[in-house]
Amino acid sequence: MDGSQFFFARDGRTNPLSELKASIDAFGRDDLSVGTLGQHPQCAFPERYRFLKQELQLKTADVDCPDFLEWKASLKADSLTLVFSAAFPNSPASMFGHTLLQLNQKNVLAKNSSEKHPLLNYGINSSAMMPLDENPMRYVVFGLLGGYDGYFSIAPYYLKVNEYNNSESRDLWEYELNLTSSQIEHMINHLWELYATSTFDYYFLDDNCSYQILSLLEVANPAWDLTRRFNVYVLPADTIKAIQDYPGAITRVDFRPSLQKRLIAQVESLNPSERADYKGVIAGEKSPQEVPGNTTLDALITFYEYRQYNKSKGLPETEKKTLREILIQRSKVENPKEPTPFEYSKNSRPDLGHHSTSAGLQFGFRNDRGKKIELKSRFGLHDLLNHDLGYEPYTQVESTGGSIDFLLEEKKIKLNSLTLIEITSLYPFNFVDPKPSWTIGSKLDNFKDLQCSYCYGLILEGGAGLSSEIIKEKALVYFLAIAHAEAGKEIPKIVRTGPGVNLAAILSPLNHYKLILSAKTYYDLVGSLKKRMFGRFEVNQSFALNRSFDLRWVSTFIPSFFRVTHTPFYELGLNLNYYF
């Protein structure tokens, strides 16, 4: 914690002994009020007081804390669930996912029901305080350097489901934790201390939402040494794996599919006649009153709900009118058909995926420099060749990686590449939710079409296009229109920039095997070289041995008509990658 109100001693943040003495003294005083609520120290820090009194056998008289006890009783805590919200690539702060806690209540029933309803539970969230209209550059700088205050918040769980599951269409994975009632009570006591007295410096990389959630869980069960392994950065999916490493820590896993997935599943379940009605109502060619049965109407309700979440100003009046008519017609349906239980792919369950950090060794060959050994590393997270188990298929989020080459015949070491960020989202196009695929990236790479060898330049590119899934989770083809720019001193005019295209296919005929065929071509508008067209062809394959290792065969070919030297270039490599 970094807030000054969390410490009794002036040097309490850095001097544990001084803070211990000051805490013991404060707990016995009657003239001291602390925290944002102006409470007695025992009331502001109930878990600290409980722990010290128990461990040190303090004789301090207890103080009544009505505000704390009322708040604690209102939570009705019975059990605790760790929730993972899947990655949201459209938001830089959420492109690696997010974790929060669900505080499950005891004996809280849905209205007119004898069953518990999880939406009536509470969500415990950790996040950064920032303006809604924050400047993007300030956002990045402050986020990396700890310029924002972090805080804990508590809200009804249905609000968090509405935010992540519906508004942002992110899958939610819920992991029920094996904790006793007294352990949960200790955590709630500490949560009050954080909630009512302090903030922390928020860093996107390490001291982030997931790290704070792990710290909170360590209070519940000190035997779970969860934060020790995270020294440089903390990724939300890795925190799930950290808990899973303790046998028996997770007792149950539930899946809450995103609103988008629910919509697609509903529409795909319609027969041809029902689908024609569905399209007709949306196109305005058919009235909702003409739609029989509830199956199509239910799909239409989900469609307009999805549309409403995806429009910043809500539905236009014409669509609101249509939705009202659909709801009225739905209420008139007699003997409605029981909804079909949809089967959703569970392959994106995060605890099953490979670890985020990787190191690799390649034995390779370049036709211009001979045999080589390449060493590579990557801090995170997932690329298109990785096995998709534990991740959304056809997505790539790579950050902060690089590689070096050892040229065996020349006995030289050369930098190969440095990657800052590469994000790709290949969204299979469908009429239910037609969205483009897109990519963006920045890296330092060596040019392979110029006269020089191992000459470097900064490359920036981004683009959008369409993807089509030929066989579900087995075969996808995509086309991206690219805006490409690169700069380096070996380019005569320093810069080459212009449009390009990327045409590729991703094939996964076997569970652990992937094959990617791609062709990339670019046109230089600047005219730095006589040959304005340049590009490459790639054939890359991978086979996941297990969660920690995969083998890859990668190959790049640049034909002579794309090279300044009028000679072809090719590079081959056999990789072994380790994920940890």
Side-chain angles (χ1 to χ4, degrees):
M1 288 296 107
D2 302 291
S4 59
Q5 296 186 84
F6 192 75
F7 303 98
F8 290 111
R10 289 188 178 181
D11 59 347
R13 185 179 175 189
T14 57
N15 190 332
L17 180 59
S18 176
E19 180 62 19
L20 173 61
K21 293 178 180 178
S23 296
I24 294 173
D25 176 68
F27 289 144
R29 292 175 59 177
D30 296 324
D31 59 342
L32 186 62
S33 297
V34 296
T36 55
L37 301 180
Q39 305 170 90
H40 186 278
Q42 290 184 24
C43 302
F45 296 95
E47 181 59 19
R48 190 190 306 188
Y49 175 64
R50 182 206 64 80
F51 177 79
L52 292 179
K53 186 169 185 177
Q54 175 181 299
E55 296 298 319
L56 302 180
Q57 298 296 304
L58 299 179
K59 304 301 182 184
T60 309
D62 294 344
V63 172
D64 289 333
C65 302
D67 291 340
F68 164 64
L69 293 176
E70 181 182 355
W71 173 83
K72 185 176 176 179
S74 70
L75 297 179
K76 300 182 178 69
D78 182 48
S79 62
L80 194 66
T81 298
L82 178 63
V83 182
F84 175 82
S85 174
F88 184 53
N90 291 330
S91 170
S94 302
M95 65 184 179
F96 295 104
H98 179 68
T99 53
L100 64 150
L101 292 173
Q102 179 187 172
L103 192 61
N104 307 314
Q105 299 185 82
K106 182 170 21 181
N107 301 325
V108 175
L109 307 178
K111 189 175 182 180
N112 300 323
S113 172
S114 60
E115 296 183 0
K116 290 184 181 180
H117 202 302
L119 292 178
L120 299 177
N121 295 323
Y122 283 103
I124 301 171
N125 200 43
S126 173
S127 56
M129 297 180 190
M130 65 182 76
L132 293 176
D133 57 348
E134 180 66 290
N135 178 281
M137 288 301 298
R138 177 186 166 95
Y139 175 79
V140 172
V141 173
F142 274 44
L144 292 174
L145 300 181
Y148 295 116
D149 285 335
Y151 68 105
F152 280 91
S153 61
I154 303 175
Y157 186 57
Y158 64 80
L159 292 179
K160 307 315 293 181
V161 170
N162 192 51
E163 176 183 353
Y164 297 122
N165 210 218
N166 297 336
S167 181
E168 296 178 356
S169 270
R170 299 162 70 172
D171 291 338
L172 295 180
W173 290 93
E174 300 169 341
Y175 297 81
E176 189 166 318
L177 303 177
N178 187 9
L179 294 169
T180 66
S181 57
S182 62
Q183 289 174 326
I184 294 173
E185 182 179 12
H186 295 166
M187 190 210 74
I188 291 173
N189 291 347
H190 183 56
L191 177 63
W192 172 263
E193 298 173 348
L194 305 176
Y195 182 63
T197 67
S198 188
T199 61
F200 54 90
D201 295 338
Y202 192 97
Y203 293 85
F204 286 162
L205 294 180
D206 52 3
D207 206 349
N208 55 24
C209 62
S210 292
Y211 184 87
Q212 295 299 331
I213 292 294
L214 290 184
S215 299
L216 200 56
L217 292 176
E218 286 179 327
V219 174
N221 188 350
W224 293 351
D225 192 5
L226 301 172
T227 57
R228 180 175 54 86
R229 69 176 67 184
F230 299 107
N231 297 315
V232 179
Y233 63 95
V234 184
L235 297 181
D238 288 344
T239 65
I240 306 291
K241 300 182 181 83
I243 294 175
Q244 189 189 48
D245 287 345
Y246 290 90
I250 296 172
T251 60
R252 174 176 170 174
V253 181
D254 291 315
F255 177 58
R256 193 180 292 275
S258 67
L259 179 60
Q260 178 196 64
K261 283 188 177 177
R262 299 199 301 272
L263 171 62
I264 292 173
Q266 280 183 285
V267 175
E268 288 180 347
S269 71
L270 301 177
N271 61 41
S273 174
E274 291 170 333
R275 193 169 293 196
D277 290 341
Y278 173 89
K279 291 180 178 179
V281 172
I282 292 173
E285 299 168 356
K286 194 163 195 172
S287 167
Q289 286 80 11
E290 301 176 67
V291 179
N294 62 293
T295 309
T296 306
L297 294 169
D298 289 341
L300 285 165
I301 291 169
T302 306
F303 169 77
Y304 282 106
E305 182 183 3
Y306 181 70
R307 287 268 295 171
Q308 182 170 304
Y309 281 116
N310 279 268
K311 286 183 172 291
S312 58
K313 296 182 180 179
L315 293 175
E317 287 303 319
T318 54
E319 293 186 3
K320 286 181 181 178
K321 180 175 180 293
T322 301
L323 177 57
R324 282 194 297 270
E325 293 174 355
I326 293 169
L327 292 170
I328 292 171
Q329 179 65 10
R330 177 65 176 84
S331 69
K332 296 177 180 178
V333 175
E334 296 181 1
N335 302 316
K337 224 162 120 185
E338 284 294 321
T340 306
F342 300 114
E343 287 293 326
Y344 298 97
S345 171
K346 306 290 180 67
N347 289 338
S348 62
R349 180 173 151 177
D351 58 298
L352 301 180
H354 63 80
H355 293 290
S356 58
T357 305
S358 68
L361 175 68
Q362 180 195 96
F363 295 93
F365 178 82
R366 288 175 55 132
N367 69 324
D368 61 341
R369 304 298 285 264
K371 298 175 184 177
K372 66 167 188 166
I373 294 176
E374 179 181 332
L375 296 178
K376 60 193 301 184
S377 66
R378 181 184 74 194
F379 283 116
L381 175 65
H382 182 76
D383 63 41
L384 293 176
L385 269 178
N386 277 129
H387 187 30
D388 285 327
L389 183 65
Y391 297 85
E392 283 296 320
Y394 314 126
T395 60
Q396 170 172 303
V397 179
E398 284 193 273
S399 67
T400 323
S403 61
I404 56 174
D405 288 346
F406 293 84
L407 303 177
L408 298 180
E409 297 173 14
E410 302 175 29
K411 296 181 173 57
K412 292 181 178 179
I413 299 175
K414 295 286 187 179
L415 173 68
N416 187 25
S417 66
L418 291 173
T419 299
L420 178 61
I421 190 75
E422 287 191 357
I423 306 174
T424 301
S425 176
L426 303 174
Y427 184 76
F429 188 84
N430 61 81
F431 84 91
V432 179
D433 184 29
K435 284 185 177 179
S437 297
W438 58 273
T439 186
I440 188 169
S442 172
K443 63 181 178 179
L444 180 74
D445 206 353
N446 70 84
F447 299 119
K448 297 182 174 74
D449 63 318
L450 303 182
Q451 289 180 329
C452 56
S453 179
Y454 287 100
C455 49
Y456 307 98
L458 178 66
I459 298 175
L460 303 172
E461 72 173 35
L466 296 177
S467 301
S468 177
E469 193 172 41
I470 309 302
I471 304 174
K472 190 170 183 62
E473 296 188 2
K474 295 290 184 183
L476 176 133
V477 295
Y478 65 91
F479 171 86
L480 299 176
I482 302 293
H484 179 92
E486 55 189 35
K489 65 179 182 179
E490 300 298 334
I491 301 174
K493 294 184 179 179
I494 307 299
V495 174
R496 285 194 296 188
T497 185
V501 296
N502 182 359
L503 179 63
I506 301 177
L507 308 174
S508 186
L510 303 174
N511 188 30
H512 294 270
Y513 172 77
K514 269 191 181 182
L515 168 65
I516 300 181
L517 310 171
S518 69
K520 301 176 182 179
T521 60
Y522 308 97
Y523 184 80
D524 177 24
L525 295 175
V526 177
S528 287
L529 301 166
K530 289 183 179 180
K531 291 194 173 187
R532 289 178 177 254
M533 293 283 293
F534 60 102
R536 65 181 64 190
F537 301 96
E538 295 179 352
V539 178
N540 298 323
Q541 304 172 73
S542 69
F543 186 83
L545 301 175
N546 52 41
R547 182 170 158 183
S548 299
F549 290 94
D550 72 21
L551 276 174
R552 299 187 178 191
W553 175 259
V554 295
S555 57
T556 300
F557 176 68
I558 303 178
S560 57
F561 55 80
F562 276 160
R563 299 195 76 217
V564 173
T565 59
H566 302 283
T567 58
F569 169 88
Y570 64 87
E571 182 176 16
L572 310 170
L574 178 64
N575 293 23
L576 176 65
N577 295 316
Y578 172 57
Y579 300 89
F580 56 97

